[in-house]
Amino acid sequence: MGRPKADEQGAPEKMQQTFWRLMEVKSYAQITVSDITRESGLNRSAFYYHYTSIPELADDAIAALYAKSNVAAFIVHLIRQPDDVDAISDYGKRLTDPEYLDCIHKLMLIAGPHGSAGLVRQLKSFVIDIWLSSIGVPPESLSPVQRITAEFAASGILGMLSSVQGMLESKTFDPDWISQSPVPRTVSQLVHSLKEQ
């Protein structure tokens, strides 16, 4: 297999992008190696050279998404101090930025109807780990009640982002909706309460 030119995508990147496109139209459980190779224009040998299975490709695609600095920054931004009005009103601005929109779209593909329970658990763990790191709480120090609180907060944010995704798709999104919504403030309070328990 030849090496891609500097301005060309490599096979793993093509397959990852294909994975995201397929997640828009098929459930995760229905995506096959044949779908990936047909849609990416690559052959099965290329697939198996890089991956052993669809779950391995999914893990790689999701890891690449999580590695983008704007994803982690966005997730941390969601739990600014509850009284930080500027941060809360800034959500609307961030949600009109194409990079954030792409990240939110992919996060919602994971958490949406085409995702899977395993992918959602992985996403919630990622969100919770970022939050805990940002407030200086080691994950292993959480009590069962704190773990439930963190899970509840992550579910709330994912639910809010799912609503935003639906509004964006139907072209009814109003950036002021976020600043008026109690969800970011409530989630922020819940996450910051983990430091005090």
Side-chain angles (χ1 to χ4, degrees):
M1 180 181 308
R3 296 182 75 186
K5 296 179 178 111
D7 61 342
E8 269 183 25
Q9 283 185 314
E13 292 81 12
K14 283 182 184 178
M15 289 186 275
Q16 289 170 28
Q17 283 192 343
T18 300
F19 169 78
W20 291 118
R21 282 195 308 273
L22 288 169
M23 283 283 288
E24 291 176 346
V25 295
K26 292 180 108 168
S27 73
Y28 172 69
Q30 294 175 324
I31 296 173
T32 64
V33 172
S34 294
D35 292 333
I36 297 293
T37 56
R38 182 177 49 256
E39 296 292 322
S40 67
L42 299 167
N43 60 37
R44 291 178 83 78
S45 296
F47 180 89
Y48 286 111
Y49 179 80
H50 295 284
Y51 302 109
T52 60
S53 63
I54 294 296
E56 189 177 330
L57 166 61
D59 285 347
D60 208 22
I62 293 167
L65 173 65
Y66 292 167
K68 289 184 175 181
S69 62
N70 57 348
V71 174
F74 179 72
I75 290 170
V76 169
H77 190 75
L78 290 170
I79 59 153
R80 295 292 174 155
Q81 288 294 334
D83 299 327
D84 187 347
V85 176
D86 291 335
I88 292 166
S89 66
D90 189 43
Y91 293 141
K93 294 176 197 148
R94 286 180 181 259
L95 292 173
T96 57
D97 178 313
E99 281 188 54
Y100 282 102
L101 289 177
D102 182 57
C103 292
I104 291 168
H105 178 68
K106 287 176 179 169
L107 293 173
M108 290 304 93
L109 289 174
I110 294 168
H114 290 177
S116 72
L119 293 178
V120 171
R121 273 192 307 278
Q122 181 188 33
L123 176 58
K124 280 186 186 178
S125 290
F126 174 71
V127 169
I128 291 167
D129 288 348
I130 288 176
W131 284 344
L132 293 176
S133 174
S134 74
I135 62 172
V137 174
E140 62 277 0
S141 73
L142 292 181
S143 69
V145 170
Q146 287 174 307
R147 175 59 57 186
I148 291 168
T149 302
E151 292 270 341
F152 183 76
S155 294
I157 282 298
L158 292 178
M160 183 191 77
L161 292 177
S162 180
S163 295
V164 168
Q165 180 71 21
M167 287 184 233
L168 289 167
E169 289 170 0
S170 67
K171 310 258 190 273
T172 59
F173 178 67
D174 174 9
D176 291 334
W177 174 82
I178 298 293
S179 59
Q180 295 166 4
S181 168
V183 175
R185 226 175 255 104
T186 303
V187 167
S188 180
Q189 289 169 340
L190 287 170
V191 173
H192 286 282
S193 77
L194 299 174
K195 293 188 292 193
E196 301 153 9
Q197 294 180 14

